[in-house]
Amino acid sequence: AQTVTQSQPEMSVQEAETVTLSCTYDTSENNYYLFWYKQPPSRQMILVIRQEAYKQQNATENRFSVNFQKAAKSFSLKISDSQLGDTAMYFCAFMKHGAGTYKYIFGTGTRLKVLA
Amino acid sequence: DAGVTQSPTHLIKTRGQQVTLRCSPKSGHDTVSWYQQALGQGPQFIFQYYEEEERQRGNFPDRFSGHQFPNYSSELNVNALLLGDSALYLCASSLWTATYNEQFFGPGTRLTVL
C-alpha cells in the first residue's frame, strides 16, 4: 500500500522569502504521479503543481517548483517570493498511473502561514 | 465552464440519522470520487463511480454508499450517523479515459453530527 508523509505540521515564512515544504512517500509502483494541492480557508482544493514519476526534470509553475528525488522517494515543494495569498494548508498527494482513474493518497498536510 | 459543484454547503445531523450529499462533476467528466476530510487531516478516499458502478472503494464501512446517475452526477449516502462522521466531504471529478487523470475538486460539504 502507498503512504504519503508530511513531517511539518506547521510552517511560517516572511513575505517575499522562500520556503520549502517536505513530503516523502512509499510505493512499489514505478509509474505514478505526485501532486501538491493548496487548500485555503475557503476549502477548495487547488492543484499547485504535479510531477510524473517517469520525468527526471523537476516541475515548475511560476513561483512554485519541486525537488523530486525518485530513489529517495522524496517530493518537496519550494515556494519562492512568498505572498500573503499563499497562506493555506498544503497537501502532498500520490496517484498511481494506469488505465482508468486512481485514487489520491494524501499526506496529513502542512499549514503554511505567510507573515507580512 | 462550470467546475465541480456540491450541495449542500453545510449540514447538521444527529447521531443515527441518514444523510445524502450531492455532487455535479466538471463539464465533460464522467468519473466521480468521494473523499472524507476530518478536521486537521488529509482527505481519505471513500469510493469512486464510473458508468454508474462503484469502481474502487477505500476503507469505509457499508454505512457509506453511493450512486451515480446517467448525467454523471453522484450522491454519497451515510446511514446511522456517528459523531466520527463529522468531516468535510469532498467530491472530485475526472475523465476515465484520459491519459492524465487529474481530479478536480469541489468546495466540499461540511457535515456536523451532534
Side-chain angles (χ1 to χ4, degrees):
Chain A
Q2 294 86 11
T3 59
V4 176
T5 302
Q6 294 180 250
S7 58
Q8 305 155 314
E10 293 187 6
M11 294 191 72
S12 61
V13 62
Q14 288 294 135
E15 198 175 4
E17 296 294 308
T18 296
V19 64
T20 299
L21 279 55
S22 301
C23 173
T24 58
Y25 61 95
D26 189 26
T27 184
S28 58
E29 300 286 337
N30 192 46
N31 293 322
Y32 50 88
Y33 297 103
L34 293 165
F35 307 86
W36 280 98
Y37 275 89
K38 169 184 177 181
Q39 188 178 41
S42 67
R43 311 181 322 201
Q44 186 89 42
M45 295 283 276
I46 302 165
L47 178 65
V48 174
I49 198 166
R50 76 170 188 266
Q51 174 81 42
E52 290 96 314
Y54 66 88
K55 290 186 177 179
Q56 292 185 336
Q57 186 173 7
N58 289 324
T60 300
E61 289 287 344
N62 301 313
R63 299 183 294 108
F64 300 89
S65 61
V66 299
N67 183 4
F68 173 48
Q69 302 290 327
K70 190 174 184 179
K73 296 180 181 175
S74 171
F75 182 61
S76 61
L77 174 70
K78 185 172 81 171
I79 306 174
S80 304
D81 185 26
S82 297
Q83 300 175 0
L84 295 177
D86 296 333
T87 293
M89 283 290 290
Y90 286 81
F91 292 98
C92 178
F94 168 99
M95 183 178 77
K96 72 175 182 178
H97 178 272
T101 295
Y102 291 96
K103 62 184 178 184
Y104 284 146
I105 308 293
F106 285 92
T108 52
T110 296
R111 184 177 301 280
L112 177 67
K113 188 170 185 179
V114 180
L115 307 172
Chain B
D1 181 19
V4 180
T5 60
Q6 292 185 244
S7 62
T9 304
H10 296 91
L11 206 52
I12 299 175
K13 292 286 188 178
T14 56
R15 281 177 296 175
Q17 284 189 312
Q18 179 265 344
V19 69
T20 297
L21 310 182
R22 296 175 176 82
C23 170
S24 291
K26 180 180 169 65
S27 178
H29 284 181
D30 56 12
T31 303
V32 173
S33 302
W34 287 91
Y35 294 82
Q36 180 195 64
Q37 185 178 14
L39 195 62
Q41 300 296 316
Q44 299 288 317
F45 176 76
I46 303 174
F47 45 52
Q48 177 189 83
Y49 278 84
Y50 169 65
E51 289 189 331
E52 303 179 46
E53 289 187 14
E54 184 182 290
R55 299 291 176 162
Q56 298 182 68
R57 189 178 183 92
N59 190 26
F60 280 80
D62 292 344
R63 298 187 297 108
F64 289 77
S65 63
H67 188 76
Q68 186 180 35
F69 299 93
N71 67 352
Y72 309 121
S73 66
S74 176
E75 288 181 349
L76 163 65
N77 301 293
V78 186
N79 294 322
L81 284 167
L82 304 174
L83 294 179
D85 295 331
S86 294
L88 179 68
Y89 289 84
L90 296 169
C91 167
S93 74
S94 56
L95 187 60
W96 184 267
T97 57
T99 301
Y100 164 55
N101 295 317
E102 178 182 345
Q103 296 181 35
F104 291 78
F105 286 86
T109 294
R110 171 76 64 191
L111 173 64
T112 301
V113 182
L114 302 177

